[in-house]
Amino acid sequence: MPLIKKKSKVSDEIPTSSMADIAFLLLIFFLVTTIFDRDQGLQVVLPEREDAEVDVPPDNLLFLLVQPNGSIVVRRGESPQTQTITHRQVQGVVRQALQANPEVIAAVQTHPEARYEDMTNVLDGIQLAGARRFVLQQLQE
Amino acid sequence: MAIEHGGFKRKSKIANEIPTSSMADIAFLLLIFFMITTVFRKEQQRPVEFPDAEAMQTVDERRSNIMNIWVEPDGQVFINDQLTPPGQVTPIARQAYIDTDRRLVVSIRGDRDVPYNVINQITEELRDAGALRVNFYTDLEQRVTRARR
């Protein structure tokens, strides 16, 4: 055994004073990087069951018939004329119809075999066009 | 320099600083308290690809008042991790509607490729239950995904 005591100036303890700071930095890092799953989407209020059928003048109806292949057939009121468009044109068509007649109601009638996304695309276009009144229905054959 | 305080030095033994050494401990205690009291919604994530939309909004309702209905690509409907056959949505939605004091928002988390009749079935059953506030869950449409489609 050596008689001379070792006089090291290096502390033999782990510095603990900054541990809290390190822990807080980690905490803040995880707080910032966490993405919460927010509930977002297209909001709709369904019609009540007891609602009496409201008679809407056919001129105020804009039918958007969503086909199984994703195309949309537009029919205005009772006019026999139809027009086939893609979902990107929905916004323009609805906006035009609203300018011509602010009372217009967009009636989305979706084919049972059509994809869900085709319906949400049309709904998206309607909401982007600023239409407040619309109906969601299943296309009857 | 002039003599301060009339020549008498204040000899107070009370430190005039707020003790900061225990602040971290207090903060950690608070943190642990909130961690323990937070209740997370334990719901399994499902393999669902949501449709995209531009006009989407965030649901302005408390989390406990939102009920999720998951619709998988094969048309299977799940509520609270339970496979729900058609016709069984109404009683669950009605109970949730009562439990949330009529403030229920139903968030339909459907896959983009699911046939529409599945969704229509759900909305009709929700109408039967009186739960009329519905949210069609969508992702924000990005220009890149739009070009890809």
Side-chain angles (χ1 to χ4, degrees):
Chain A
M1 273 273 280
L3 291 168
I4 304 155
K5 254 197 175 172
K6 210 170 117 210
K7 280 178 193 167
S8 172
K9 280 184 181 172
V10 183
S11 164
D12 55 354
E13 272 173 36
I14 300 162
T16 50
S17 59
S18 57
M19 210 171 66
D21 298 310
I22 296 165
F24 267 113
L25 276 177
L26 269 174
L27 178 72
I28 290 163
F29 171 75
F30 283 112
L31 270 172
V32 170
T33 53
T34 305
I35 303 161
F36 273 102
D37 182 23
R38 284 177 315 168
D39 286 280
Q40 57 191 19
L42 303 167
Q43 277 145 60
V44 168
V45 178
L46 302 175
E48 275 180 52
R49 262 287 182 251
E50 299 84 43
D51 260 8
E53 293 270 316
V54 187
D55 269 331
V56 180
D59 291 344
N60 287 357
L61 280 171
L62 176 72
F63 289 103
L64 297 156
L65 314 174
V66 183
Q67 303 301 313
N69 61 5
S71 66
I72 296 131
V73 173
V74 181
R75 192 156 56 80
R76 285 175 182 80
E78 292 193 308
S79 87
Q81 280 187 325
T82 58
Q83 183 192 357
T84 306
I85 59 170
T86 68
H87 70 84
R88 281 173 223 189
Q89 293 165 279
V90 169
Q91 190 189 342
V93 167
V94 175
R95 187 163 279 158
Q96 244 176 19
L98 275 172
Q99 269 168 4
N101 178 6
E103 296 287 296
V104 92
I105 297 172
V108 184
Q109 300 194 335
T110 311
H111 191 278
E113 297 300 314
R115 291 159 69 236
Y116 172 48
E117 189 183 29
D118 299 328
M119 189 279 286
T120 56
N121 281 333
V122 175
L123 190 59
D124 190 23
I126 289 171
Q127 295 203 346
L128 281 177
R132 300 232 153 235
R133 303 164 78 192
F134 49 86
V135 193
L136 296 177
Q137 288 168 324
Q138 188 165 261
L139 188 60
Q140 312 287 332
E141 278 149 303
Chain B
M1 228 173 131
I3 303 159
E4 283 172 25
H5 307 296
F8 293 102
K9 253 199 171 167
R10 211 169 114 228
K11 279 179 197 168
S12 171
K13 279 184 181 171
I14 302 162
N16 55 3
E17 271 172 39
I18 300 162
T20 50
S21 57
S22 56
M23 210 172 66
D25 298 311
I26 296 163
F28 267 114
L29 275 178
L30 270 174
L31 178 73
I32 290 163
F33 171 74
F34 283 113
M35 272 174 70
I36 289 169
T37 52
T38 305
V39 180
F40 273 103
R41 185 159 58 185
K42 296 182 287 291
E43 210 173 359
Q44 200 187 319
Q45 289 289 317
R46 308 213 155 263
V48 169
E49 239 187 283
F50 301 116
D52 296 332
E54 278 180 72
M56 52 159 245
Q57 297 166 305
T58 314
V59 180
D60 190 21
E61 188 56 75
R62 280 174 54 203
R63 220 144 229 248
S64 51
N65 290 348
I66 297 172
M67 183 175 84
N68 288 332
I69 297 184
W70 296 81
V71 187
E72 287 200 353
D74 54 2
Q76 286 188 318
V77 179
F78 287 88
I79 302 174
N80 297 325
D81 289 333
Q82 294 275 310
L83 178 62
T84 310
Q88 291 301 303
V89 178
T90 308
I92 296 170
R94 186 171 287 142
Q95 190 56 49
Y97 187 65
I98 295 162
D99 291 344
T100 56
D101 202 16
R102 294 188 286 166
R103 299 189 59 82
L104 181 71
V105 174
V106 177
S107 187
I108 297 180
R109 297 180 171 227
D111 191 273
R112 50 170 70 169
D113 290 324
V114 85
Y116 182 70
N117 59 358
V118 180
I119 305 293
N120 189 66
Q121 166 82 23
I122 292 169
T123 53
E124 289 302 311
E125 285 192 46
L126 290 177
R127 283 181 68 194
D128 288 335
L132 301 178
R133 291 165 77 197
V134 168
N135 170 55
F136 294 109
Y137 190 94
T138 56
D139 282 328
L140 181 62
E141 180 150 19
Q142 312 267 311
R143 292 288 153 191
V144 186
T145 51
R146 171 165 264 205
R148 188 161 45 101
R149 268 196 280 127

